[in-house]
Amino acid sequence: MFKFFFIPLFTLFISFLVQASEPKSTRTLEEAIEAFTPRVRAELTPYFDKANIIYPPDKVTLLAIKERHIVEVWATSGAKTSFIKQYFIWSASGDSGPKLEEGDKQVPEGIYKVIGLNPNSKYHLSMALNYPNEFDMKWAKADKRHDPGGDIFIHGDSYSVGCLAMGNKNIEELFILAVDTGIRNFEVIIAPGDPRKRRLERKESDPKWVDTLYKDIESAFKPFNLR
């Protein structure tokens, strides 16, 4: 049985403000939900059934691994957390290391929340992340970096600068999964590599606080053990 979803006015407001670029369409959030939900639920439900997780789940965590160009979807229902499926990242600019300033073309690294859903992105659909978060702002201030950048999205299409381009079919699934789960229950952890396979190490050119960031990311990955 599907949960009834509620999109607060704040989210609707954000959906029109946070855009990856100029919109291609004028569809509303409700229209996007109506257009994509039947296919997405039909596509995703068997994966959740196989994992023995009720759809929609209580919580979703996306593990974005830059080095492998993949996003893993993990879902929690009650006390059970299981791997659901993974998606290929079609495009992500930059290399390992966190985003430091506007224009550096880096994809951020850290633990983020989805704060908005945009049905009118130039890149089909997009999900806005709360970059810079509190951790990012703390170290930007310490480093005297006045513009750490912003407008970071997970979106469709196959081109991106500083965001994660997932392709249109994939973003439709992630977008509706976020709607059904609720964006307050949607976490995104972005890592340079997979800390379950080897310890994350900062580059010599990275600030020393990146050691702390990587320890946080390693801890955040621990509940998601592929066996």
Side-chain angles (χ1 to χ4, degrees):
M1 178 176 292
F2 297 110
K3 296 176 185 175
F4 176 79
F5 57 81
F6 173 70
I7 304 296
L9 289 177
F10 174 75
T11 300
L12 291 173
F13 180 67
I14 287 290
S15 75
F16 287 99
L17 287 184
V18 292
Q19 298 189 22
S21 189
E22 292 298 321
K24 278 187 175 180
S25 69
T26 56
R27 66 185 166 214
T28 65
L29 182 58
E30 289 87 351
E31 288 170 342
I33 292 168
E34 183 178 2
F36 302 121
T37 292
R39 181 196 71 79
V40 168
R41 286 181 176 168
E43 177 76 22
L44 290 181
T45 299
Y47 288 94
F48 280 82
D49 289 345
K50 182 179 179 181
N52 198 26
I53 295 287
I54 296 172
Y55 186 92
D58 297 328
K59 180 182 178 181
V60 166
T61 302
L62 304 184
L63 304 182
I65 303 169
K66 292 161 69 171
E67 180 182 61
R68 297 177 59 199
H69 289 271
I70 64 167
V71 170
E72 293 179 5
V73 178
W74 291 75
T76 300
S77 182
K80 181 180 175 63
T81 297
S82 294
F83 170 78
I84 303 300
K85 66 180 299 188
Q86 72 178 31
Y87 296 98
F88 179 71
I89 299 171
W90 285 34
S91 179
S93 60
D95 55 15
S96 65
K99 184 173 184 62
L100 297 177
E101 58 187 356
E102 179 68 28
D104 65 7
K105 299 183 179 180
Q106 283 290 100
V107 174
E109 295 173 357
I111 302 166
Y112 299 100
K113 294 289 187 181
V114 173
I115 58 171
L117 302 173
N118 177 20
N120 289 309
S121 170
K122 180 179 179 180
Y123 304 105
H124 190 45
L125 300 168
S126 65
M127 303 159 57
L129 302 184
N130 68 327
Y131 174 88
N133 61 18
E134 185 177 349
F135 182 95
D136 299 315
M137 292 302 295
K138 171 186 174 181
W139 289 106
K141 182 177 180 180
D143 294 345
K144 295 182 171 53
R145 287 181 283 111
H146 302 296
D147 187 2
D151 292 338
I152 301 299
F153 301 85
I154 300 173
H155 60 69
D157 215 327
S158 58
Y159 173 78
S160 180
V161 176
C163 301
L164 298 178
M166 304 300 300
N168 289 352
K169 180 176 180 292
N170 292 347
I171 193 59
E172 288 170 11
E173 294 184 11
L174 293 171
F175 190 95
I176 296 302
L177 181 56
V179 169
D180 284 350
T181 306
I183 62 173
R184 292 183 179 180
N185 305 312
F186 219 84
E187 184 176 59
V188 181
I189 306 171
I190 307 176
D194 191 338
R196 297 166 301 184
K197 297 181 180 296
R198 68 176 187 273
R199 188 168 65 88
L200 301 179
E201 295 184 359
R202 68 177 174 89
K203 303 191 302 292
E204 188 175 345
S205 58
D206 288 335
K208 290 184 178 180
W209 55 260
V210 173
D211 288 333
T212 300
L213 172 64
Y214 285 175
K215 286 178 182 178
D216 290 346
I217 292 174
E218 287 170 350
S219 294
F221 262 70
K222 283 182 179 178
F224 310 104
N225 191 13
L226 280 172
R227 292 182 180 177

